[in-house]
Amino acid sequence: MSKQDVQETTHFGYEQVPVTDKASKVADVFHSVADKYDIMNDLMSAGVHRLWKRYTIETSGAKKGDTILDLAGGTGDLAAKFARIVGPNGLVTLSDINGSMLENGRQRLTNMGIAGNIEYVQANAECLPFADNKYDLITIAFGLRNVTDKDAALKSMYRVLKPGGKLMILEFSKPVVPGLSTIYDQYSFKLLPLIGKVVANDEDSYRYLAESIRMHPDQETLKGMMDEAGFERTSYHNMTGGVVALHTGYKF
């Protein structure tokens, strides 16, 4: 059998799919959930996702005049806060690979009166269309697990980050509190798809989201991947017993 006959695969949730198909499958999920994304986030996390994001912003070190890239920024939760922090002399780039999510973010921030220091760019995190050494800060919240080639994405982020700049990855991770994994599994695989079915009429997409969390690298593995991509002083902070972790790294 030749190499051409063996098609490389990757995971889409628990399903193995051709590498070339994953991005479009993930896109279908987020096209489907875009209009209910904010409501579902509140229901899925009982509103705790807002605290996770607030902690990310508070520890970001963002300041007036900064250039910030919010990757997989979806409906703009982080971008809206950062736009107010950086002020008129700063710039926030809200980027998402999914056009439906990005448009929802644009409409939401426009309705909030945020304009002038924010731009919207549809882009794949694996091959960012930005100049080298452009951003003071890069954030990606609950998006890295959906990227097909995470190593390529991390290297792309490193390239566009300024020397002295900071990367922050907020993502679901592996619970570290004894007994929490069992409770978390029951919630993720029974209650979460049911919520998706009732609220968003989309049980399958929310089952995928639960599965994608389980397939994401654990805390130490992701830290090692950041090290391999060139980031220094990498660390992570567990929240809610490790259900979520905030990874940080710097480019020097």
Side-chain angles (χ1 to χ4, degrees), residues 132-143:
D132 295 356
N133 308 317
K134 179 174 181 178
Y135 292 101
D136 296 293
L137 172 69
I138 299 175
T139 57
I140 178 167
F142 307 114

Side-chain angles (χ1 to χ4, degrees), residues 32-33 36-37 40 43 194-203 206:
S32 174
V33 304
K36 297 285 187 179
Y37 189 72
M40 286 301 299
L43 290 172
L194 178 61
I195 293 173
K197 181 178 181 180
V198 172
V199 176
N201 194 30
D202 191 347
E203 182 177 358
Y206 285 91

Side-chain angles (χ1 to χ4, degrees), residues 51 103 108:
L51 300 179
E103 184 56 31
R108 181 182 180 196

Side-chain angles (χ1 to χ4, degrees), residues 61-247:
K63 60 187 183 303
K64 289 185 182 300
D66 276 354
T67 53
I68 298 177
L69 172 61
D70 182 27
L71 281 173
T75 51
D77 284 355
L78 294 181
K81 300 288 195 305
F82 283 135
R84 293 193 169 110
I85 291 172
V86 303
N89 294 323
L91 174 69
V92 176
T93 303
L94 173 56
S95 180
D96 202 294
I97 194 174
N98 187 278
S100 298
M101 294 293 290
L102 191 63
E103 184 56 31
N104 273 349
R106 184 199 303 270
Q107 292 179 8
R108 181 182 180 196
L109 269 59
T110 299
N111 291 339
M112 293 169 67
I114 298 173
N117 66 347
I118 189 160
E119 62 178 2
Y120 304 89
V121 179
Q122 186 171 352
N124 186 335
E126 297 173 23
C127 47
L128 294 170
F130 308 117
D132 295 356
N133 308 317
K134 179 174 181 178
Y135 292 101
D136 296 293
L137 172 69
I138 299 175
T139 57
I140 178 167
F142 307 114
L144 186 62
R145 74 180 188 278
N146 297 308
V147 174
T148 304
D149 190 338
K150 296 174 181 60
D151 292 315
L154 289 169
K155 290 174 183 175
S156 189
M157 293 177 213
Y158 185 86
R159 179 185 62 79
V160 304
L161 194 63
K162 289 180 181 178
K166 182 179 185 180
L167 168 67
M168 306 184 80
I169 302 172
L170 181 66
E171 188 55 89
F172 291 107
S173 200
K174 303 295 186 252
V176 294
V177 174
L180 183 57
S181 289
T182 301
I183 298 170
Y184 188 41
D185 283 347
Q186 289 292 315
Y187 168 77
S188 298
F189 294 109
K190 292 188 177 179
L191 187 58
L192 181 55
L194 178 61
I195 293 173
K197 181 178 181 180
V198 172
V199 176
N201 194 30
D202 191 347
E203 182 177 358
D204 290 342
S205 289
Y206 285 91
R207 181 174 290 108
Y208 158 74
L209 293 175
E211 292 174 357
S212 71
I213 292 168
R214 298 311 187 280
M215 298 301 291
H216 186 66
D218 64 19
Q219 289 91 325
E220 283 293 328
T221 302
L222 179 54
K223 181 180 182 298
M225 292 167 67
M226 293 171 69
D227 292 336
E228 284 291 316
F231 290 97
E232 299 180 46
R233 287 173 51 195
T234 55
S235 63
Y236 59 85
H237 173 73
N238 286 322
M239 293 183 277
T240 317
V243 168
V244 164
L246 176 63
H247 282 72

